[in-house]
Amino acid sequence: MGIVGSLLLSTALAQPPPDGGVLRHAVVVGANDGGPDMEPLLYAERDAGRFVDVLTQLGGFEPGQATLLRSPDRDELDSALRHHSALAQANPQDLFLFYYSGHADAVSLRLGAEQVPFADLKQQIRDLPSEVSLGVLDACRSGEITRIKGFKVTAPFATEDNLTANGEAWLTATSADEQAQESDRLQGSFFTHYLLSGLRGAADARPGETGD
C-alpha cells in the first residue's frame, strides 16, 4: 500500500552552531512498501515523520538538518547520505543519526523492490566523517546489523555539549531472528511508539526533575 513520498533535502550546507556546540543532523527513512513478496506496512512512513518531529522539537536538531525520506529508492537514500557526509565534513563536531522504519529480511533493508544490504548501510554510515553516529532500525530481523562487528556497552555520550566519545551505536527493534510489529490502536509500530514516548519524557530518570 506504500504511498510514494517526497525527498526533502536542504540545499545548502548548515553552518556550525552559533555557540560552537555539536551539530546534530539526521537521515530518517520510512518505507511502507517492502516489495512484492512482503505485506505492505501501514504506519512506517508515519513513524518516520513522528521521529523527525521529536528530533526537531526536543532533540536539538534544526529542521533543515533532519532529512525525511518517505518511500525513497536506493539512489535517493545514497544522495541523502552523501549530503550528510558533506555536513559532517563542514563541521568540527557533529552527531549523525540514521533512523529506518520499514521491512527488512535476513540481510538487508527493503525499499520497495530494492534492497539495502546491512553491510553496505553500515559501511556508508561508518564512512561519514562524524564523531558519533547513531543508528535506529525499526524492522524485522534488524538486530542482524550488530553481528557485522562486535559491540560493547559504554558510558552515555548523547547529552554532552562537547562530544567526548567517538564511534557508532545501533538500537534495533528486534534481534536477528525476531519480527517487529505495528499496531492499529497505536497507529504505529510498538517499538517506535515507546521509543518516542521515552524521548518525550517517559524515560526521564526522575520525571519533572532532571529532564534528561
Side-chain angles (χ1 to χ4, degrees):
M1 188 192 81
I3 300 172
V4 176
S6 60
L7 172 66
L8 303 178
L9 287 176
S10 55
T11 57
L13 294 184
Q15 297 300 312
D19 59 359
V22 177
L23 171 71
R24 289 171 169 81
H25 58 119
V27 171
V28 177
V29 180
N32 288 341
D33 182 8
D37 58 331
M38 291 191 171
E39 186 73 20
L41 297 170
L42 298 178
Y43 306 113
E45 293 169 24
R46 181 178 184 273
D47 280 342
R50 292 167 60 222
F51 196 85
V52 167
D53 288 343
V54 169
L55 294 184
T56 55
Q57 293 168 10
L58 300 174
F61 289 71
E62 295 296 327
Q65 294 161 2
T67 298
L68 173 61
L69 305 178
R70 290 191 173 100
S71 292
D73 59 26
R74 180 69 186 268
D75 287 343
E76 289 172 323
L77 175 59
D78 290 347
S79 177
L81 290 173
R82 287 194 299 269
H83 171 76
H84 284 268
S85 180
L87 284 180
Q89 188 67 45
N91 289 273
Q93 284 197 104
D94 78 289
L95 181 151
F96 173 74
L97 189 152
F98 178 83
Y99 168 93
Y100 171 85
S101 180
H103 277 297
D105 55 34
V107 296
S108 62
L109 303 182
R110 304 290 289 268
L111 299 177
E114 296 183 288
Q115 299 182 6
V116 182
F118 289 133
D120 290 358
L121 176 64
K122 267 185 74 71
Q123 192 59 54
Q124 283 180 284
I125 291 176
R126 188 166 289 166
D127 287 344
L128 268 67
S130 297
E131 279 68 38
V132 173
S133 297
L134 306 178
V136 180
L137 301 183
D138 187 354
C140 297
R141 307 179 187 89
S142 51
E144 179 66 28
I145 200 166
T146 65
R147 290 185 174 183
I148 297 171
K149 185 177 180 181
F151 284 80
K152 64 180 181 179
V153 176
T154 187
F157 55 84
T159 60
E160 299 293 333
D161 292 331
N162 292 297
L163 294 177
T164 57
N166 190 294
E168 65 182 286
W170 290 85
L171 178 64
T172 65
T174 64
S175 69
D177 56 0
E178 290 180 326
Q179 303 292 317
Q181 301 289 333
E182 56 180 13
S183 164
D184 289 332
R185 183 175 64 83
L186 298 175
Q187 293 193 327
S189 79
F190 288 103
F191 175 81
T192 292
H193 172 79
Y194 287 106
L195 174 61
L196 295 183
S197 295
L199 292 174
R200 287 190 178 278
D204 197 335
R206 292 187 295 276
E209 296 181 18
T210 62
D212 63 0

